[in-house]
Amino acid sequence: MIEIRDIEKKYEMGGETVHALDKVTLSIQDGEFVAIIGPSGSGKSTLMNIIGCLDVADSGTYILNGKPIEKYSERQLARIRNKNIGFIFQGFNLLSKLSALENVELPMIYQGVPAHERHKRAKEALEHVGLAGRIKHKPTELSGGQQQRCAIARALAAHPSLILADEPTGNLDKKTGKEILNLFLELHEQGNTIVLITHDPKVADWAERIVYIEDGKITSEGRGTRRYGTDELTIDEKHTYDAETQAEEVMPDGADAIL
Amino acid sequence: MALMQSFKMALKSIAGNKMRSFLTMLGMIIGIVAIVVLVSIAQGANASVISSIEGMGTNMITVSVRSRRANPIKLSTLDELSDDPYIEAYAPYLSVTGTVKAGNTVYDDASIIGTSSSYMLIRALEMEDGRFLSTPDIDNRSHVAVIGSEAAEEMYGSTDCVGSSFSIDGTAYTVVGVLKSKGTSSVGSQDTMVLIPFTLAQRITQTTGVTSFYVTATSSENVDFAQTGVEDFLKKYFSSTSYYSVFNQTQMLSTLSETTSTLTLMLGGIAAISLLVGGIGIMNIMLVSVSERTREIGIRKAIGASRGNILSQFLIEALVLSIMGGALGILLSYLIVTIVSPLIGVTMVMSAEVSLAAVAFAVIIGAVFGLYPAAKASKLRPIEALRYDG
Ligand SMILES: Nc1ncnc2c1ncn2[C@@H]1O[C@H](COP(=O)(O)OP(=O)(O)O)[C@@H](O)[C@H]1O
Ligand SMILES: [Mg+2]
């Protein structure tokens, strides 16, 4: 349960103050699938970093699971980042000296997952995102899309209950992007909370709830139609739905968007 | 997270950054080798000086006269010393420069010394072949010489050369005796000596006085009495004690070890500077890689590493690197001291204390400068560490 009230974040840039977040109030229930959508520079990543306990707001309150964030100790926050949150960064943030497999294993090392299980889960996660043949590669030996999928695998393999994804499909082609979104749907069905950041309305449309942000302010809210609108689908129907999108892909109208 | 995991991560990081690891260790190795080897040289010099002086016997007194003008001590005046009951023997000593030539062979390493027959007893020389210089040789200024074993080998190819002749600056001499080998000592090799009658040496150098001479006491207990006798003798001829100096072996030993301890101090100082430079090298490489490492720390924190995780990884990394560097440094020093030193003919004595101190210093520097940036970075908010770019 995430409760944010009147959060502000300012940056001083050469005498000018940028209000990256301007009195943002937002609640996210456990198990929700929320998309935060807004143009570039609207404060999405800033908000995400605060939700993910990587950064702190200048003012306002952030209550995580019923407790104000400032009441958590440094060690407790490390545990939360490690066990509860799966962060998918816009810039991937993979360790360049480690292989894809080692990168995916890293959060589990800090969790204390035994080597054998860690290895198995990391491999499975990489297979899941279609990187089975690249597990020994270093990030520099992977394409942008592959790095993004590696970062996704790293977040998912640790089994977090809250997934924070910052433009997770930004570097992916249509088909992989759709696979990743399906993965999120699946995790959502299993009861995980998902916060998806995007600037693309077609991607946001996959979420249950859509929050619009502009110039650091939340302007409106809506509901996703792609999946939760009139023709609501369930996981069981996924393959039919896949067939549908594939059919749609060959049509020229959605060519500029990811999906 | 278990210590084992931190250890594995540290090793992975060392292996994954070979260049950085190598440079860190290089600084350490250079510093340690410099200090250990230089101190070994100084201590080696000290040890060899002491042993060679001790080897010369402790009942010897050395006199050297400083005023060359109107030197009142003549060879005949020395005879007064024979009346002293504590004095066993005395011999004048005069070093000569000249070209030694046997046939067509020029022997450059010769140390030509003019002396008397007692020199054999005083320096405890032994004959390989032939005889030593005799009193008539001195009195008659005979053109005869006694040579060291190395001199004989170099000049004639064998020590079997009594009766052969050679020349010093064109003047002919006959070899009457060859000395047994005594080996090299820091006060000069006796094996390269070419000993000629003192009177001839005076003629060559165009001097009339005795500028230095050796005296031996009847026993080492009597050295002080003998020295008093020598000083009384000198006082008769000189108006001031500043014209001469009298040394017994014990004094010489302490003077020389003062000199060598100055040498030790000086070399130690140079070595300490190189260790410091090595330490600064370690520090630099650790600090230079900080921006890269700060991002790494940011990533690790973002995915759930605690400060403790980060610090233990970096501490172990720094310790492993500096201990490895230290061990390699000591190994290299050991190789230099045991293999290289005999090859270049320099005595070196490796000191366990100095080696240990050098390694300890390197390890502390490595740990401090490996940990300090990591400790700083691990305090940052993950997002600050992720954004860090130097
Ligand atoms: N570290 C920073 N220093 C200064 N300004 C920043 C910093 N991070 C973000 N900003 C500014 O804050 C605003 C919001 O940034 P961000 O949250 O990254 O936007 P988005 O992710 O929506 O594109 C932008 O105007 C950006 O320039
Ligand atoms: Mg962003």
Side-chain angles (χ1 to χ4, degrees):
Chain A
M1 171 81 168
I2 293 163
E3 292 172 87
I4 282 171
R5 237 172 285 139
D6 292 333
I7 268 193
E8 279 187 298
K9 184 83 187 175
K10 289 174 223 145
Y11 292 109
E12 299 287 340
M13 289 298 281
E16 230 176 290
T17 311
V18 179
H19 274 263
L21 293 176
D22 191 2
K23 303 242 182 245
V24 169
T25 299
L26 177 70
S27 287
I28 298 170
Q29 304 299 318
D30 286 344
E32 260 194 299
F33 183 176
V34 180
I36 297 174
I37 185 167
S40 173
S42 55
K44 306 183 296 292
S45 295
T46 308
L47 178 61
M48 182 70 102
N49 291 335
I50 291 171
I51 296 175
C53 312
L54 301 180
D55 204 355
V56 289
D58 296 333
S59 65
T61 50
Y62 173 21
I63 297 168
L64 180 63
N65 297 328
K67 185 165 146 187
I69 202 73
E70 62 272 12
K71 294 269 160 50
Y72 288 94
S73 71
E74 170 73 36
R75 186 185 281 264
Q76 283 171 324
L77 285 179
R79 268 183 85 81
I80 289 172
R81 284 193 291 262
N82 187 212
K83 297 210 161 160
N84 304 351
I85 300 176
F87 216 119
I88 300 160
F89 297 91
Q90 192 168 11
F92 321 136
N93 282 333
L94 298 168
L95 285 179
S96 58
K97 297 287 157 69
L98 300 187
S99 69
L101 186 71
E102 288 165 339
N103 264 293
V104 175
E105 278 186 278
L106 206 54
M108 291 187 277
I109 289 179
Y110 291 121
Q111 284 179 0
V113 175
H116 183 73
E117 190 193 334
R118 199 168 72 210
H119 206 71
K120 195 173 134 244
R121 269 162 63 179
K123 257 176 128 163
E124 280 170 3
L126 283 165
E127 277 163 22
H128 221 110
V129 297
L131 283 183
R134 298 281 183 279
I135 63 171
K136 288 272 184 322
H137 287 55
K138 299 267 166 67
T140 45
E141 299 156 359
L142 297 173
S143 73
Q146 287 170 331
Q147 288 182 47
Q148 185 146 44
R149 283 184 277 156
C150 182
I152 293 167
R154 179 177 65 185
L156 300 188
H159 293 341
S161 53
L162 169 61
I163 292 159
L164 300 176
D166 196 350
E167 309 267 10
T169 54
N171 290 276
L172 304 182
D173 56 87
K174 252 183 179 182
K175 183 166 168 292
T176 2
K178 188 196 65 198
E179 277 166 15
I180 296 302
L181 287 168
N182 265 317
L183 211 57
F184 286 166
L185 274 184
E186 212 175 299
L187 290 164
H188 172 54
E189 293 294 325
Q190 289 162 9
N192 297 299
T193 315
I194 293 163
V195 180
L196 170 66
I197 283 188
T198 183
H199 62 270
D200 183 348
K202 295 222 163 101
V203 172
D205 216 23
W206 284 64
E208 212 171 355
R209 187 176 143 209
I210 303 175
V211 175
Y212 296 88
I213 184 167
E214 211 165 316
D215 286 337
K217 294 189 190 74
I218 290 180
T219 51
S220 60
E221 286 209 13
R223 288 183 63 80
T225 54
R226 186 72 183 93
R227 169 130 172 71
Y228 297 96
T230 44
D231 50 324
E232 193 163 338
L233 304 170
T234 62
I235 285 295
D236 302 336
E237 294 171 290
K238 208 173 76 193
H239 43 275
T240 17
Y241 149 78
D242 277 351
E244 242 177 76
T245 23
Q246 251 136 35
E248 190 181 286
E249 268 172 18
V250 292
M251 300 195 296
D253 62 355
D256 58 327
I258 288 171
L259 293 164
Chain B
M1 190 181 52
L3 194 67
M4 199 55 206
Q5 270 308 334
S6 304
F7 197 73
K8 276 189 193 161
M9 268 185 199
L11 288 186
K12 200 171 271 174
S13 176
I14 289 169
N17 296 281
K18 291 199 178 60
M19 197 59 192
R20 185 175 68 212
S21 308
F22 171 72
L23 289 175
T24 311
M25 286 202 290
L26 193 67
M28 212 156 291
I29 291 169
I30 290 172
I32 288 173
V33 168
I35 198 162
V36 172
V37 169
L38 286 179
V39 171
S40 299
I41 290 173
Q43 293 197 329
N46 199 11
S48 72
V49 164
I50 288 174
S51 79
S52 67
I53 289 172
E54 281 172 352
M56 276 163 69
T58 49
N59 52 354
M60 195 168 96
I61 296 164
T62 313
V63 179
S64 51
V65 175
R66 288 207 191 93
S67 81
R68 283 217 168 217
R69 273 185 298 159
N71 185 349
I73 312 275
K74 305 278 178 278
L75 188 54
S76 52
T77 16
L78 280 185
D79 290 341
E80 287 175 35
L81 292 171
S82 58
D83 299 336
D84 192 313
Y86 300 113
I87 290 175
E88 172 151 10
Y90 54 89
Y93 180 95
L94 182 57
S95 191
V96 176
T97 45
T99 309
V100 173
K101 208 170 165 194
N104 288 323
T105 318
V106 174
Y107 182 44
D108 287 324
D109 290 339
S111 50
I112 310 165
I113 294 159
T115 188
S116 70
S117 58
S118 323
Y119 191 72
M120 184 177 179
L121 173 81
I122 291 172
R123 299 300 296 266
L125 303 175
E126 287 173 81
M127 300 310 297
E128 172 81 42
D129 199 7
R131 63 169 180 88
F132 199 71
L133 299 172
S134 67
T135 310
D137 291 335
I138 315 295
D139 294 343
N140 303 332
R141 296 197 176 95
S142 313
H143 285 248
V144 293
V146 173
I147 61 177
S149 57
E150 191 183 316
E153 292 282 356
E154 294 284 329
M155 286 158 66
Y156 304 106
S158 97
T159 54
D160 187 20
C161 58
V162 172
S164 310
S165 59
F166 67 95
S167 69
I168 298 175
D169 287 343
T171 314
Y173 288 80
T174 309
V175 177
V176 291
V178 178
L179 297 168
K180 273 208 173 112
S181 171
K182 288 199 97 178
T184 317
S185 80
S186 67
V187 286
S189 170
Q190 310 200 330
D191 297 343
T192 59
M193 288 195 304
V194 172
L195 301 172
I196 58 171
F198 181 74
T199 43
L200 272 178
Q202 278 182 312
R203 178 183 285 171
I204 295 170
T205 57
Q206 296 179 335
T207 52
T208 50
V210 177
T211 48
S212 64
F213 59 95
Y214 295 116
V215 174
T216 42
T218 44
S219 75
S220 52
E221 291 85 55
N222 290 337
V223 168
D224 288 342
F225 300 120
Q227 186 165 348
T228 315
V230 170
E231 279 163 356
D232 288 345
F233 160 77
L234 289 165
K235 268 179 206 152
K236 282 197 288 181
Y237 294 94
F238 291 101
S239 54
S240 157
T241 54
S242 65
Y243 290 130
Y244 57 86
S245 55
V246 181
F247 270 119
N248 66 42
Q249 287 302 87
T250 336
Q251 281 172 319
M252 206 142 138
L253 204 65
S254 66
T255 310
L256 274 175
S257 51
E258 244 170 60
T259 317
T260 54
S261 67
T262 314
L263 181 74
T264 309
L265 217 67
M266 200 181 79
L267 288 183
I270 294 170
I273 291 170
S274 29
L275 191 59
L276 197 70
V277 170
I280 292 170
I282 298 166
M283 186 177 94
N284 272 350
I285 200 77
M286 294 282 191
L287 292 178
V288 158
S289 60
V290 113
S291 68
E292 181 197 347
R293 307 236 60 186
T294 302
R295 267 189 61 78
E296 176 188 340
I297 289 169
I299 295 173
R300 287 179 185 272
K301 282 195 78 170
I303 59 170
S306 65
R307 279 198 76 194
N309 293 149
I310 304 278
L311 289 184
S312 57
Q313 180 199 331
F314 276 72
L315 179 64
I316 291 171
E317 214 179 294
L319 285 180
V320 167
L321 264 186
S322 33
I323 289 170
M324 262 160 62
L328 284 176
I330 291 296
L331 187 73
L332 196 63
S333 309
Y334 179 77
L335 290 180
I336 290 174
V337 168
T338 53
I339 294 175
V340 179
S341 94
L343 292 180
I344 58 172
V346 176
T347 322
M348 299 186 193
V349 178
M350 202 162 150
S351 145
E353 288 92 345
V354 170
S355 310
L356 221 67
V359 172
F361 180 77
V363 168
I364 288 170
I365 294 252
V368 168
F369 291 104
L371 204 54
Y372 168 73
K376 238 174 82 176
S378 71
K379 270 192 209 143
L380 295 175
R381 274 180 229 146
I383 200 73
E384 288 171 328
L386 282 172
R387 281 200 201 112
Y388 191 91
D389 56 357

